[in-house]
Amino acid sequence: MGQLTPPPFRFRIGAHETGEDRRRSLRIGVDYSAAVWQGAGIGRYTRALVGELLRLDRENRYVLIYPAGFPGRPAPFLPHRRHLNHPRLRLRPLPLSDRYQTILWQRLRLPLPVELLCGRLDLFYSPDFVLPPQLMGRRILTIHDLAFLVRPECAVPSLGWYLRRAIPRSIARADLLLADSEHTRRDLIGLLGVPPERVEVLYPGVEPAFRPLERAASEEVRARYGLPERFLLTVGTIEPRKNLPRLLEALSGLPERLRLPLVVVGRPGWLYGESFAAVGRWGLQGQVRFLGFVPQEDLPALYNLALALVYPSLYEGFGLPPLEAMACGTPVLTSNVSSLPEVVGEAAVLVDPADVSSVREGLRRLLEDEELREDLRRAGLERARKFTWERAAGELLRLMEAVAG
């Protein structure tokens, strides 16, 4: 658990390649939809991974496909050339929203092949669970988690119904699946019967901006958000899977001397009202601040300002916030389930997220023991160095060339 060792490369296809084959320039299509429509989560993953891939690979040709929105209602994170610098890159914006794209390709399943938009491809890569119709070429698909199967009570019912149908269809068409963690890889094999040799682990990375900052660099952010001198931080969409009500209950049972304010970063999601109601139920009015969605450029300062990140999620395919907090030198408390122990190794306090007393005891240890926090800070910095987007993009490039070979 403490070591980060990628599994051996299992995927094999076709005959042995010649040197001439390996040097041939590939034409690669990428579904860039999440990057232009989602501010957090898979949107950040796609922007970071594809951006680093384009920086590393100067040989192959790329076509990025994305729904650009309607006139007057553009996608909120539209790409700019300065962020997507590649000598052989073409952008293919579609005049529709991400919702309509999903309806056309996944819900109505209209047989409009992706080649109509970008021409013939050697390979198409989707970083967001599903594949578009495709006539020719290989396909690589990233599955970030199977929360809709493992924790169905934490998903919107209509979304769960859709995912249980759309994702297996795309998995069946993919030549290679990428999982964010070994835990997600095991879920794919055990829950959906995917042959082990068809799944590779591609660990996400942490961006260079997430690092220890000088105090002065963070104070402007503290003042802008009106944050106290000492506080706990949690980051993520406010939904049942993030387990905020149990965290609030655990905080309410701490001795008064240990009860720090909690700052919550993340948009309200499905059933967010339960989390807001828990503030009053446990008498924490005035002690919990909901900041909503925070621009990515403010996150490193927020991690640096926090005494600790508390992240007792019920299930994660990877979990970027603990990694980002460790990279900033911020102590972490997180769950002992799903992929989270795989991410943090021995550099965090691990708790049972379903047991309020376990969460409370972990908080007590973290808040009382300054030496523990310092040990976690050092261990977290070392652990986070193992996860880089350069490493992830290099591995993705290797896999794409092998699959398309």
Side-chain angles (χ1 to χ4, degrees):
M1 184 180 297
Q3 299 296 317
L4 178 67
T5 325
F9 180 43
R10 289 171 282 261
F11 184 82
R12 297 291 182 270
I13 185 165
H16 178 68
E17 296 174 339
T18 67
E20 182 178 352
D21 290 331
R22 286 194 297 271
R23 286 194 299 270
R24 181 175 64 86
S25 174
L26 300 173
R27 199 159 191 271
I28 299 169
V30 178
D31 182 354
Y32 204 63
S33 305
V36 303
W37 283 94
Q38 299 181 35
I42 299 173
R44 290 182 56 200
Y45 173 97
T46 304
R47 288 190 292 272
L49 180 59
V50 174
E52 188 64 21
L53 177 66
L54 295 175
R55 189 189 70 81
L56 289 178
D57 183 7
R58 317 304 286 182
E59 300 296 327
N60 298 308
R61 293 166 292 165
Y62 288 87
V63 183
L64 302 191
I65 299 169
Y66 57 91
F70 303 111
R73 297 181 60 188
F77 302 95
L78 281 174
H80 302 286
R81 281 287 183 179
R82 62 188 177 89
H83 297 305
L84 297 171
N85 183 26
H86 191 277
R88 293 197 274 181
L89 170 67
R90 299 174 70 183
L91 303 180
R92 283 290 179 265
L94 310 179
L96 72 169
S97 69
D98 60 336
R99 179 172 179 269
Y100 281 105
Q101 178 178 280
T102 298
I103 290 173
L104 292 175
W105 268 340
Q106 305 301 333
R107 294 187 182 271
L108 298 179
R109 301 174 66 185
L110 294 183
L112 302 174
V114 73
E115 285 89 347
L116 290 177
L117 306 172
C118 56
R120 181 171 177 173
L121 297 172
D122 296 294
L123 180 139
F124 190 86
Y125 169 55
S126 172
D128 192 11
F129 288 101
V130 291
L131 288 164
Q134 185 176 343
L135 294 176
M136 300 178 65
R138 301 290 183 177
R139 306 168 182 90
I140 296 180
L141 174 65
T142 292
I143 303 294
H144 297 280
D145 62 67
L146 293 182
F148 66 98
L149 293 178
V150 178
R151 307 290 309 206
E153 74 280 8
C154 293
V156 180
S158 59
L159 177 62
W161 182 91
Y162 160 71
L163 294 176
R164 285 192 296 273
R165 286 153 180 79
I167 289 179
R169 286 199 304 263
S170 289
I171 285 175
R173 295 172 51 228
D175 295 287
L176 179 66
L177 300 174
L178 303 180
D180 287 359
S181 62
E182 184 62 34
H183 185 275
T184 298
R185 179 177 180 270
R186 290 195 298 267
D187 278 351
L188 284 164
I189 295 167
L191 297 176
L192 293 180
V194 177
E197 65 274 9
R198 289 187 58 219
V199 193
E200 293 288 330
V201 174
L202 185 74
Y203 288 112
V206 61
E207 293 164 74
F210 293 92
R211 65 187 189 279
L213 301 176
E214 296 293 334
R215 182 179 178 88
S218 301
E219 286 305 313
E220 186 273 332
V221 172
R222 185 198 302 278
R224 181 148 41 88
Y225 288 102
L227 300 177
E229 184 66 26
R230 286 162 57 89
F231 64 90
L232 299 173
L233 177 69
T234 190
V235 177
T237 302
I238 302 172
E239 60 184 9
R241 184 160 57 96
K242 300 305 181 182
N243 207 26
L244 189 53
R246 285 194 183 92
L247 173 59
L248 295 174
E249 183 180 355
L251 282 170
S252 71
L254 289 172
E256 190 67 33
R257 62 186 175 83
L258 296 178
R259 202 181 300 171
L260 292 185
L262 175 68
V263 173
V264 182
V265 169
R267 282 194 177 100
W270 182 60
L271 288 181
Y272 67 88
E274 175 61 22
S275 296
F276 289 109
V279 174
R281 184 164 61 249
W282 302 112
L284 296 174
Q285 298 92 333
Q287 298 183 53
V288 182
R289 285 279 311 280
F290 291 93
L291 298 186
F293 175 77
V294 166
Q296 184 174 335
E297 55 266 26
D298 288 347
L299 281 175
L302 290 173
Y303 285 123
N304 274 266
L305 290 168
L307 183 77
L309 176 80
V310 288
Y311 195 77
S313 175
L314 296 172
Y315 176 92
E316 294 292 330
F318 183 78
L320 278 176
L323 175 60
E324 292 168 348
M326 291 191 300
C328 292
T330 303
V332 171
L333 177 147
T334 192
S335 303
N336 61 3
V337 299
S338 66
S339 66
L340 290 163
E342 189 178 342
V343 175
V344 300
E346 299 176 357
V349 173
L350 295 178
V351 299
D352 179 354
D355 183 352
V356 172
S357 62
S358 175
V359 178
R360 183 179 296 128
E361 175 58 22
L363 288 168
R364 185 197 61 76
R365 288 181 56 212
L366 195 62
L367 293 167
E368 282 187 336
D369 194 336
E370 186 175 350
E371 184 177 349
L372 171 63
R373 294 198 301 272
E374 182 59 27
D375 289 344
L376 293 176
R377 188 190 74 82
R378 288 193 296 266
L381 287 168
E382 181 179 352
R383 180 73 179 173
R385 293 188 190 102
K386 300 177 184 291
F387 297 87
T388 69
W389 286 115
E390 181 178 15
R391 175 179 181 171
E395 183 69 5
L396 175 59
L397 178 58
R398 181 178 74 88
L399 292 170
M400 290 195 302
E401 291 181 340
V403 172

